[in-house]
Amino acid sequence: MELWYTEKQTEVYGITAKIKETLYTTQTPFQHLAVIDTEQFGRMLVLDGMVQTTIKDEFVYHEMISHVALNTHPNPKRVAVIGGGDGGAIREVLKHPSVEKATLVEIDGEVIRAAKQYLPEIAGMLDDSRVEVLVADGIKHIEESANTYDVIIVDSTEPVGAAIGLFSEGFYANIHRALTKDGILVAQTESPYFNQDIIKKCNVGIRKSFPITRLYLASIPTYPSGLWSFTLGSKTMDPLAVDEREIATLPTKYYTAAIHKAVFHLPQFVADIISE
Ligand code: SAM
């Protein structure tokens, strides 16, 4: 018998993957969690029926949500990842020798536990001595932090349930307060094909707090539409002003010094989303 997983990415469109094995399913206090092994993308973490990460293409998202900001900041020592319980962003953050402490603030401890057990390639650095893991609401944590982090990465689920506030103007203002002098925020801001309203809202919200706000893109096959956006807000440093020759080579599969700048060249329809 063949088993297939379908994610309805919109009311009328989805992606389907042939399942090798269902490894784990549970209902946590926050969401339905599943880890399935698929023929095409290997093991996949699925929350409330939406793909969060897969073994085969996770490198794109995790490298791109981390290195652009970390290589724009002159000396990132303290970094927070809000959400991101799979541990992929933390793994990338720790590739930067300047980082002394990386704080993960994930609301759902079950995501961390399942990732450690079923996705060790992604979660493997969560036990590193530089990592602090807080099972807590990222919104509250940021509210209670001032002048603390050099870079804050918002690695959230789609804006539903506990994640709604992670896409709000007030949250970005609190992030500005939680950041140090040259602080940088970066957030995943969904698909330019399917979520133009979210991209626009995030862009407007981040622009209200950060003088330098930039959108960039990456190609991620298992995310809705395959094209993904990230929005970076910065107090002083412009990612486009970074000297490519000064970007240290890291062990990465997608991010390069040339990619650091290239991803800010937007197709016209994407530039139009944030043009007003
Ligand atoms: N890469 C992913 C994507 O774009 O699909 C996101 C991955 S990560 C698994 C997202 C995490 O954000 C989830 O584990 C979820 O529990 C967490 N999350 C949602 N709302 C949160 C909040 N208010 N505070 C902290 N973590 C939150």
Side-chain angles (χ1 to χ4, degrees):
M1 187 180 65
E2 288 189 357
L3 286 177
W4 293 76
Y5 160 76
T6 293
E7 173 182 342
K8 270 175 67 185
Q9 297 182 330
T10 73
E11 283 306 310
V12 292
Y13 180 78
I15 54 160
T16 296
K18 188 173 175 190
I19 297 177
K20 247 192 223 169
E21 193 182 352
T22 301
L23 297 169
Y24 183 60
T25 61
T26 187
Q27 179 65 47
T28 82
F30 297 95
Q31 51 214 342
H32 184 268
L33 183 159
V35 184
I36 54 180
D37 195 2
T38 65
E39 298 282 355
Q40 191 67 53
F41 283 101
R43 278 158 284 130
M44 221 179 226
L45 173 67
V46 180
L47 295 178
D48 283 341
M50 291 174 270
V51 175
Q52 301 296 307
T53 196
T54 86
I55 290 296
K56 294 271 173 68
D57 71 349
E58 58 87 11
F59 65 96
V60 185
Y61 178 86
H62 293 128
E63 290 178 15
M64 292 307 291
I65 203 168
S66 307
H67 301 310
V68 177
L70 282 150
N71 278 336
T72 298
H73 194 284
N75 188 24
K77 288 186 177 164
R78 288 207 58 179
V79 178
V81 176
I82 308 299
D86 51 66
I90 288 283
R91 182 196 64 203
E92 295 304 314
V93 165
L94 294 179
K95 288 180 180 172
H96 292 257
S98 64
V99 172
E100 292 169 0
K101 191 170 175 190
T103 302
L104 180 79
V105 191
E106 162 62 59
I107 203 165
D108 191 344
E110 184 59 25
V111 174
I112 299 171
R113 203 199 60 70
K116 281 185 175 176
Q117 183 168 352
Y118 296 103
L119 309 167
E121 303 91 330
I122 302 175
M125 294 302 282
L126 286 175
D127 291 323
D128 188 274
S129 60
R130 289 164 290 175
V131 178
E132 170 185 44
V133 175
L134 305 177
V135 176
D137 185 348
I139 298 170
K140 198 155 181 287
H141 178 78
I142 289 298
E143 240 169 57
E144 291 164 357
S145 309
N147 194 26
T148 307
Y149 298 109
D150 301 314
V151 174
I152 296 178
I153 297 173
V154 184
D155 181 2
S156 65
T157 38
E158 291 64 19
V160 289
I164 292 174
L166 299 176
F167 291 76
S168 73
E169 204 177 296
F171 180 59
Y172 300 138
N174 287 337
I175 286 189
H176 188 275
R177 212 170 45 86
L179 284 166
T180 51
K181 185 172 68 63
D182 295 316
I184 300 179
L185 146 76
V186 61
Q188 74 88 359
T189 46
E190 308 278 308
S191 158
Y193 286 103
F194 297 166
N195 312 108
Q196 299 193 354
D197 48 342
I198 296 174
I199 293 178
K200 191 178 281 196
K201 180 174 177 264
C202 294
N203 203 271
V204 169
I206 292 175
R207 267 199 313 229
K208 286 207 172 134
S209 290
F210 290 87
I212 299 160
T213 299
R214 302 228 180 259
L215 182 80
Y216 63 94
L217 301 174
S219 164
I220 307 176
T222 56
Y223 284 1
S225 85
L227 186 65
W228 212 243
S229 77
F230 301 86
T231 305
L232 181 146
S234 176
K235 289 188 177 183
T236 61
M237 311 304 292
D238 188 341
L240 289 173
V242 171
D243 184 345
E244 284 171 45
R245 290 164 305 183
E246 294 197 349
I247 295 180
T249 306
L250 292 168
T252 53
K253 290 199 281 180
Y254 192 94
Y255 177 87
T256 64
I259 285 271
H260 179 100
K261 294 236 177 118
V263 290
F264 291 96
H265 290 281
L266 302 176
Q268 189 57 49
F269 84 98
V270 183
D272 288 344
I273 302 172
I274 53 165
S275 66
E276 291 138 39

